[in-house]
Amino acid sequence: RALAWEGLTPVLVAADLEIVAVAGVGDPVRPEAKSLVTDLIDAGWQVGVLSGDHPEVVSAVAKEVGATSELVRGAATPEEKAQVVRNTEAVMVGDGVNDAAAMAAARCGIAVHGGAEASLAAADVFTSRPGLRPISELFTAARQTMSVIRRNLWFSLGYNLVGAGLAMTGLIHPLIAAVMMPLSSLTVITSSMRNRAFKAEDAV
């Protein structure tokens, strides 16, 4: 039990049908994991952990990285993962075959670099570089993209309302208002090109 609380899976070693030793097996938590979770929580996300590992091991790892305790579940089957993700409309990050169904059910499935082929096929996005930094960059770029989209929508709406209003009141010729329409589109396209959130060299 002590090994489980340290994030290690206990393995019993037996000789002549008698247990002679207990070994702890586990993968170290990536050093950037805690900072990534902190950044996501600061940005308004709730971060949980779904895993098929022993519940105590999962709880220990979740506590180490600062995940939301209410969203932590161990000993989860692939079907249970998918159901949880479906019920919460979550974004799912995974790398294994057991994560594929959950990623397919998620609002957005993200497979990490080096993941199983099934997870890559099920994911909407996969990172092309190792580590967790690409995931942080992906969330940041997604927020920037939505910000650009909202800004362009408001600009285009205001531009067209002003043009249509001036034409209807006779302050400008309708032909000029018609010319302003494609200029509005060009302005929006130029704004989007100048504020690209996803760079070619940072593609995920």
Side-chain angles (χ1 to χ4, degrees), residues 78-132:
E79 294 77 15
E80 289 172 341
K81 291 181 181 180
Q83 189 61 45
V84 170
V85 168
R86 191 178 295 111
N87 290 342
T88 56
E89 297 186 354
V91 174
M92 175 70 180
V93 180
D95 65 350
V97 175
N98 292 340
D99 300 323
M103 284 193 284
R107 291 181 62 184
C108 179
I110 304 173
V112 298
H113 178 270
E117 185 175 348
S119 68
L120 297 178
D124 300 293
V125 183
F126 68 89
T127 60
S128 59
R129 291 177 288 130
L132 299 179

Side-chain angles (χ1 to χ4, degrees), residues 163-184:
L166 292 176
M168 292 176 63
T169 57
L171 296 178
I172 61 174
H173 194 279
L175 181 60
I176 297 178
V179 172
M180 291 175 63
M181 296 294 289
L183 289 178
S184 169

